[in-house]
């Protein structure tokens, strides 16, 4: 039974990872340029959201095209978003800017400070989406402590489920399915594979 489950899960994970990689960098690059063109005409919360979107696009693009320049650009736009959010007291935008800054600062103590600030904002606003993403990003700071990262992924997934954030659910559940597969805990891995597929379809990632 374990061998059968292992084969099924490996097949599922292959499907989850199978995407037109050659098209993704082009699409991300075009989206970044489109967002940048909008900046001069934006102000207030819309400006902050756009700056955060650009920072996130650079982070996601850097997964496929790793370079110091992409990381620097993500940090630069997140910092701008933070400054603009502070000016207008836009807490939602500030939280996501702090997350991105914390992520780009790697494992420095200042990185954890910014992510914890985002968590504090999420708690004060009772905002499950903020908390889900903050805990997911916080997990990247404990990559050597598998128990800690697994606990944070589960915590993030719970918040994503409460928020109805299918994109977040997909990411957190996929990380958990891969972790349990690596530990040969096939029953748990299969459960999270199913969660990944269900959430991804609701999000509209039908190619998964």
């Amino acid at each position: 039974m374990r061998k059968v489950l292992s084969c099924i899960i490996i097949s599922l994970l292959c499907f989850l990872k199978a995407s037109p990689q050659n098209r993704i960098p082009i699409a991300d690059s075009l989206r970044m340029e489109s967002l940048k063109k909008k900046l001069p005409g934006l102000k207030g919360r819309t400006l902050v959201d756009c700056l955060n979107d650009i920072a996130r696009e650079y982070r996601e693009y850097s997964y496929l095209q790793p370079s110091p320049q992409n990381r620097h650009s993500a940090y630069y736009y997140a910092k701008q978003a933070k400054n603009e959010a502070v000016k207008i007291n836009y807490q939602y935008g500030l939280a996501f800017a702090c997350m991105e800054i914390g992520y780009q600062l790697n494992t420095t103590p200042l990185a954890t400070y910014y992510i914890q600030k985002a968590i504090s904002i999420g708690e004060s606003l009772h905002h499950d989406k903020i908390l889900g993403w903050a805990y997911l990003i916080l997990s990247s700071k404990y990559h050597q402590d598998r128990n800690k990262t697994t606990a944070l992924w589960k915590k993030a997934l719970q918040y994503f489920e409460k928020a109805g954030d299918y994109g977040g659910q997909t990411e957190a559940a996929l990380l958990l399915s891969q972790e349990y597969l690596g530990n040969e805990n096939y029953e748990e891995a299969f459960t999270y594979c199913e969660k990944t597929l269900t959430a991804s379809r609701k999000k509209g990632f039908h190619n998964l």
Side-chain angles (χ1 to χ4, degrees):
M1 180 62 178
R2 290 168 65 84
K3 189 173 182 180
V4 172
L5 277 173
S6 176
C7 291
I8 292 171
I9 293 165
I10 289 170
S11 297
L12 280 170
L13 288 173
C14 286
F15 276 113
L16 288 168
K17 290 181 178 180
S19 59
Q21 297 292 330
N22 59 318
R23 295 207 307 266
I24 290 174
I26 297 173
D28 286 350
S29 178
L30 291 174
R31 176 167 163 74
M32 280 189 286
E33 292 307 313
S34 175
L35 288 168
K36 287 180 187 177
K37 288 178 182 178
K38 294 178 181 179
L39 285 176
L42 302 178
K43 59 183 180 180
R45 295 187 175 193
T46 307
L47 174 59
V48 175
D49 291 339
C50 188
L51 288 167
N52 276 329
D53 285 344
I54 295 171
R56 185 178 62 253
E57 289 293 331
Y58 269 111
R59 170 162 50 88
E60 293 178 354
Y61 189 69
S62 68
Y63 295 147
L64 299 168
Q65 301 289 332
S67 75
Q69 181 59 41
N70 285 333
R71 293 186 66 89
H72 174 75
S73 295
Y75 178 83
Y76 170 77
Y77 283 102
K79 196 76 172 179
Q80 280 195 314
K82 172 185 170 293
N83 293 339
E84 293 297 327
V86 169
K87 286 180 187 177
I88 60 174
N89 193 28
Y90 180 29
Q91 294 296 296
Y92 177 88
L94 177 60
F96 279 96
C98 286
M99 285 181 224
E100 190 62 49
I101 292 169
Y103 180 84
Q104 298 303 334
L105 288 174
N106 294 316
T107 56
T108 64
L110 198 56
T112 304
Y113 163 79
Y114 275 107
I115 298 171
Q116 289 292 350
K117 183 174 180 63
I119 291 173
S120 295
I121 293 172
E123 290 174 344
S124 66
L125 297 177
H126 304 288
H127 204 294
D128 294 325
K129 180 177 179 178
I130 290 175
L131 290 167
W133 285 108
Y135 280 114
L136 191 65
I137 290 177
L138 182 62
S139 70
S140 67
K141 309 307 171 187
Y142 300 96
H143 61 277
Q144 293 182 334
D145 186 340
R146 305 311 298 174
N147 291 331
K148 180 75 170 179
T149 54
T150 300
L152 288 170
W153 290 337
K154 287 183 176 180
K155 194 167 188 175
L157 181 58
Q158 289 174 349
Y159 280 114
F160 287 138
E161 288 174 340
K162 288 195 289 184
D165 186 332
Y166 298 120
Q169 289 177 46
T170 299
E171 190 164 339
L174 178 57
L175 288 167
L176 285 162
S177 65
Q178 292 171 327
E179 179 68 15
Y180 282 117
L181 178 63
N183 294 333
E184 298 185 354
N185 187 338
Y186 301 121
E187 289 82 1
E188 288 290 334
F190 186 79
T191 296
Y192 285 106
C193 269
E194 287 188 313
K195 285 179 177 286
T196 303
L197 288 169
T198 299
S200 66
R201 286 168 180 159
K202 288 181 179 179
K203 177 64 177 176
F205 299 149
H206 298 297
N207 61 315
L208 296 184

